[in-house]
Amino acid sequence: MAKKKQKSSQNKDKNQELKEQPVVVEDEAEAAAAAKQEKEDEEKEEEEERSFEDLGLDPRLIRALIKKNIDKPTPIQRVAIPLILEGKDVVARAKTGSGKTFAYLLPLLQKLFSDSPSKHNQAPTAFILAPTRELCQQVYAEVMSLIELCRVQLKVVQLTSSMSNSDLRTALAGPPDILVSTPACVHTCLSDGVLQQKAVQDSLSIIVLDEADLLLSYGYEDDLKALTAHVPRRCQCLLMSATSSADVEKLKRLILHNPYILTLPEVGDLKDDIIPKNVQQFYISCTARDKLVHILALLKLELVQKKVLIFTNAIDTSYRLKLFFEQFGIKSAVLNAELPQNSRLHILEEFNAGLFDYLIATDDSQPQEKKKFDSGSNAEQKKARKHAKQKLDAEFGVVRGIDFKNVHTVLNFEMPQSAAGYVHRIGRTGRAYNTGASVSLVSPEENDMFEDIKSIIGESDNMDSNFIAPFPLLTKNAVEGLRYRAEDVARSVTKVAVRESRAQDLRNEILNSEKLKAHFQDNPRDLDLLKHDKVLSKKDPAPHLRDVPEYLLDPTTQEARKIVKLVRAAMGNNNTARRKGFKGKFRKSRDPLKTFSAEASRRPSKGGMRRRGPGCDASHKRKRKETVD
Ligand SMILES: Nc1ncnc2c1ncn2[C@@H]1O[C@H](COP(=O)(O)OP(=O)(O)OP(=O)(O)O)[C@@H](O)[C@H]1O
């Protein structure tokens, strides 16, 4: 009996053992996976800790960055900087606001600091080409400020198509070390002999195509082809882009030799390419007529965070909005392709410097203007095209690339005409380490487009990051409380008033532009000279419209205002908050500056960044892998 008992207990033990065995195996597998994960996390952390020093950056540049409150490279910078310093050709694709400009500018400057160009150079050593004048101006300003902070002697010029040949010649005399321009302007310089082709072949050692995904769509293909014929083979080529497209591929083939490809996991996929994950997206459904009262409620009841960038599809609408706002004591400025270039640049600078909180920008892809070409007789179409061409500056681009600083809210007063337009607009907030929000006012007529946008940005696939939610803070009562005043004022903003104010603004800005040109030659940093948010209404705003009486605020709206104020207080100045260790409410993975991750890698441990070396595109034989973040 005892034996039987012993046997049965032995069997039991054995069974137990057998039963437990797979568990043990599973535990081991789990432990191994955990250890692997831990190692990967450690590696990732180490990678994230890499400083600008670790990347081999010149101490002068590091000091300059610190003065700009930039102390840590972004993921794209961590990978691109060392490669560019090594002299490699690089294609870098990373979403908007991920720090691509410094990713190429820092190593480019460092190279120019150390390799002092030959005295015999007759042409610039570096070309930086961007699709719009505004972008060129932005890059130029960035280069100049870095150089100033580094106290190094380098000559940088920005050339624009509006300059005369003699001005171009003067600017190119020397020659400059860096030339910032559009491809069309450089092409003109080459064909007019302002830039000698032979000199370019001898001197050019680095060329950057910034916002490369836009260059071909802006019609620069022929200009680039003409230029590449003179780009020497030894010249280092860098191509920076927010998206991957057939155009980028075409450019890559046109100008690069065996580049390293620094790319994103889902390149070609609009949603992951350019929507910054730290932007919360909202919408409000209302009739086209009710948009005014809704936008008034959002701004006047302070239900959205300032600064606010408001998008319209037509220039007239932007003036209508401005005049409407003025009657409620809300000061705003408008930005559109009709304004002179100096004014536009100055408006951007003022807005970035925080001189006003509301900027009404008209999207540069003008469906309204385009429609005019598509209707009417041939002669009318021709006339309309000529007229529009004269009026609208072809190199103006407000939606893409421009680095609007600290925009907390993007408001689509009118919906863009494409999903791409939507993501480009949204990309103006949530830049650098900031968070942001967007609110789109959607009328029934815009519903189809809105549905398209939702499906293209992948709302259904990924509820977490790309969900466009109903805006929760605006109640029906709050809107109704303002309706009477809004409708009354809206009636007073007539078509004639809009036309007059548009013409008046243009006159003012043309005068401004001349003054600006002269003034900024001597005082490039003086921002306060001319204000762009001045009142255009002929009628003084009625005092009772300035303030919203308490009785119009229902308890929910009061609560909502409090929330918005609290959030603002918590955010403070975001950059300062970040320096002080403020982590923000968004997960790190939602920050475009921190989430540069690349195509699926075999070593996802460091964020899946894939660095593809020369020749990889074709053969996949020499795949180099390096991962960050
Ligand atoms: N390492 C960094 N740390 C903090 N901020 C940074 C860093 N690098 C760049 N920035 C800031 O981030 C913002 C966005 O950078 P940048 O304009 O280069 O983005 P981008 O990737 O070129 O975007 P886009 O594709 O829209 O042009 C800028 O204001 C820039 O000063």
Side-chain angles (χ1 to χ4, degrees):
M1 180 73 183
K3 246 185 186 176
K4 216 175 172 184
K5 217 175 177 180
Q6 200 183 353
K7 200 163 183 189
S8 108
S9 104
Q10 269 173 1
N11 277 346
K12 233 180 178 175
D13 285 351
K14 214 169 194 174
N15 283 345
Q16 192 63 28
E17 225 172 76
L18 281 173
K19 257 193 211 158
E20 279 173 0
Q21 211 163 6
V23 176
V24 170
V25 169
E26 218 171 271
D27 280 352
E28 272 174 11
E30 265 174 27
K36 196 170 159 225
Q37 184 64 46
E38 202 175 313
K39 195 166 167 245
E40 287 172 356
D41 287 348
E42 269 170 27
E43 283 173 350
K44 192 172 159 186
E45 260 170 44
E46 251 171 52
E47 183 61 41
E48 280 169 11
E49 287 307 309
R50 287 186 81 187
S51 62
F52 283 115
E53 280 98 334
D54 298 333
L55 304 181
L57 209 62
D58 187 296
R60 287 169 287 186
L61 285 165
I62 297 175
R63 278 198 297 275
L65 289 171
I66 289 171
K67 285 184 193 146
K68 288 172 168 285
N69 295 319
I70 291 180
D71 48 12
K72 213 175 120 199
T74 65
I76 181 67
Q77 291 164 359
R78 283 204 291 269
V79 194
I81 290 173
L83 281 173
I84 299 173
L85 284 175
E86 277 173 42
K88 305 286 190 266
D89 279 7
V90 166
V91 174
R93 295 185 282 212
K95 58 184 85 173
T96 55
S98 55
K100 291 188 289 296
T101 314
F102 283 153
Y104 71 79
L105 219 47
L106 296 169
L108 182 147
L109 285 176
Q110 177 156 340
K111 280 166 159 264
L112 294 179
F113 289 179
S114 45
D115 314 338
S116 49
S118 153
K119 280 193 196 111
H120 306 295
N121 270 3
Q122 300 288 318
T125 315
F127 282 0
I128 301 177
L129 305 181
T132 66
R133 277 194 243 178
E134 275 71 14
L135 278 167
C136 290
Q137 172 64 24
Q138 193 173 293
V139 172
Y140 174 78
E142 227 30 301
V143 185
M144 289 309 287
S145 100
L146 281 173
I147 290 176
E148 257 173 46
L149 291 169
C150 290
R151 294 168 196 272
V152 206
Q153 297 263 316
L154 281 182
K155 185 176 171 196
V156 188
V157 295
Q158 185 197 348
L159 302 185
T160 65
S161 298
S162 57
M163 289 166 81
S164 66
N165 272 5
S166 71
D167 284 349
L168 291 169
R169 267 182 231 282
T170 314
L172 287 167
D177 298 281
I178 304 174
L179 163 64
V180 186
S181 192
T182 60
C185 183
V186 173
H187 183 194
T188 312
C189 290
L190 280 166
S191 45
D192 291 355
V194 173
L195 258 177
Q196 297 298 323
Q197 299 171 358
K198 170 82 173 58
V200 171
Q201 283 159 14
D202 291 344
S203 312
L204 189 65
S205 61
I206 182 158
I207 181 165
V208 184
L209 304 186
D210 200 358
E211 301 287 344
D213 45 343
L214 282 184
L215 285 169
L216 294 190
S217 62
Y218 269 76
Y220 292 123
E221 185 166 357
D222 289 343
D223 301 310
L224 285 164
K225 276 188 182 151
L227 172 63
T228 47
H230 309 292
V231 174
R233 175 121 193 129
R234 59 175 164 71
C235 175
Q236 184 179 15
C237 301
L238 311 173
L239 202 147
M240 317 305 286
S241 149
T243 58
S244 163
S245 64
D247 282 357
V248 177
E249 287 303 306
K250 210 168 179 183
L251 272 183
K252 204 175 85 189
R253 282 195 300 274
L254 189 69
I255 201 160
L256 293 141
H257 322 289
N258 283 345
Y260 277 75
I261 315 279
L262 312 179
T263 191
L264 289 156
E266 291 163 72
V267 163
D269 195 342
L270 200 54
K271 60 186 179 195
D272 281 309
D273 273 348
I274 40 186
I275 288 196
K277 296 276 172 19
N278 44 347
V279 177
Q280 289 185 307
Q281 302 169 73
F282 300 103
Y283 74 93
I284 296 172
S285 289
C286 64
T287 63
R289 199 185 132 95
D290 274 359
K291 285 190 175 191
L292 281 176
V293 62
H294 279 83
I295 198 164
L296 176 68
L298 290 176
L299 303 192
K300 199 69 200 170
L301 304 179
E302 298 183 334
L303 300 177
V304 291
Q305 299 282 353
K306 294 186 269 199
K307 295 186 294 196
V308 183
L309 180 58
I310 301 165
F311 280 110
T312 66
N313 293 342
I315 297 176
D316 273 354
T317 315
S318 64
Y319 283 100
R320 184 154 186 254
L321 264 180
K322 180 175 163 62
L323 293 178
F324 175 78
F325 289 155
E326 281 175 4
Q327 293 304 311
F328 294 94
I330 301 170
K331 286 180 99 183
S332 63
V334 294
L335 182 67
N336 60 58
E338 191 178 62
L339 299 172
Q341 191 209 356
N342 287 338
S343 298
R344 293 194 317 247
L345 295 174
H346 196 236
I347 292 168
L348 282 171
E349 276 188 63
E350 282 196 351
F351 186 58
N352 280 346
L355 266 68
F356 49 87
D357 289 323
Y358 303 107
L359 181 62
I360 311 168
T362 303
D363 207 336
D364 48 343
S365 52
Q366 287 291 320
Q368 273 79 0
E369 302 284 347
K370 205 167 163 277
K371 260 185 221 151
K372 279 190 216 153
F373 308 152
D374 302 336
S375 60
S377 68
N378 270 354
E380 278 169 353
Q381 284 183 26
K382 223 171 161 183
K383 208 169 141 198
R385 251 187 228 116
K386 199 174 159 207
H387 182 60
K389 207 170 166 205
Q390 279 166 355
K391 277 175 61 184
L392 302 177
D393 187 332
E395 287 181 356
F396 171 73
V398 85
V399 174
R400 277 299 310 276
I402 300 290
D403 189 25
F404 289 102
K405 305 269 186 210
N406 300 326
V407 170
H408 282 114
T409 310
V410 167
L411 271 180
N412 282 318
F413 182 73
E414 292 172 306
M415 290 304 280
Q417 302 297 302
S418 67
Y422 176 83
V423 285
H424 292 321
R425 287 183 184 186
I426 304 298
R428 299 312 102 206
T429 181
R431 294 176 75 72
Y433 285 94
N434 291 323
T435 55
S438 72
V439 185
S440 298
L441 301 182
V442 186
S443 69
E445 299 76 39
E446 292 166 321
N447 226 13
D448 286 351
M449 176 46 66
F450 186 51
E451 288 304 317
D452 275 2
I453 290 169
K454 283 200 289 187
S455 68
I456 288 174
I457 66 165
E459 177 171 292
S460 49
D461 317 346
N462 187 346
M463 299 289 279
D464 184 34
S465 63
N466 284 318
F467 183 58
I468 310 181
F471 186 71
L473 301 181
L474 184 59
T475 65
K476 207 164 177 297
N477 282 345
V479 173
E480 291 314 314
L482 290 170
R483 181 177 292 281
Y484 174 74
R485 289 150 195 257
E487 289 185 349
D488 198 30
V489 170
R491 271 192 296 276
S492 73
V493 184
T494 59
K495 274 192 183 155
V496 175
V498 168
R499 208 180 318 133
E500 279 179 1
S501 65
R502 181 171 167 176
Q504 182 58 42
D505 196 35
L506 193 53
R507 276 196 294 274
N508 290 346
E509 291 301 343
I510 287 170
L511 284 176
N512 275 355
S513 188
E514 286 309 306
K515 284 189 214 162
L516 284 167
K517 200 170 162 189
H519 180 81
F520 286 120
Q521 273 159 6
D522 301 331
N523 308 281
R525 298 201 168 274
D526 194 346
L527 287 174
D528 223 358
L529 177 75
L530 299 159
K531 296 291 289 281
H532 296 277
D533 62 344
K534 53 195 163 304
V535 171
L536 289 176
S537 305
K538 289 194 173 147
K539 205 171 106 189
D540 281 342
H544 74 282
L545 293 177
R546 282 187 170 270
D547 302 312
V548 181
E550 281 293 311
Y551 68 83
L552 282 183
L553 298 176
D554 60 42
T556 321
T557 305
Q558 288 184 9
E559 211 42 46
R561 275 158 66 105
K562 260 191 228 153
I563 294 173
V564 176
K565 272 195 190 129
L566 279 174
V567 173
R568 183 176 329 156
M571 291 197 311
N573 170 334
N574 265 11
N575 287 334
T576 321
R578 185 172 60 81
R579 282 200 305 281
K580 286 179 183 161
F582 175 75
K583 292 263 192 305
K585 82 178 227 195
F586 291 93
R587 280 183 285 122
K588 193 165 148 252
S589 63
R590 295 169 69 108
D591 186 327
L593 282 169
K594 293 183 185 169
T595 54
F596 180 82
S597 59
E599 278 176 37
S601 152
R602 283 198 209 131
R603 290 175 60 199
S605 56
K606 291 176 188 171
M609 173 64 173
R610 190 162 106 184
R611 191 174 92 158
R612 281 199 278 146
C616 292
D617 256 3
S619 65
H620 293 267
K621 272 182 197 155
R622 288 179 57 212
K623 258 185 202 168
R624 292 174 199 217
K625 294 215 168 54
E626 183 151 312
T627 53
V628 290
D629 192 6

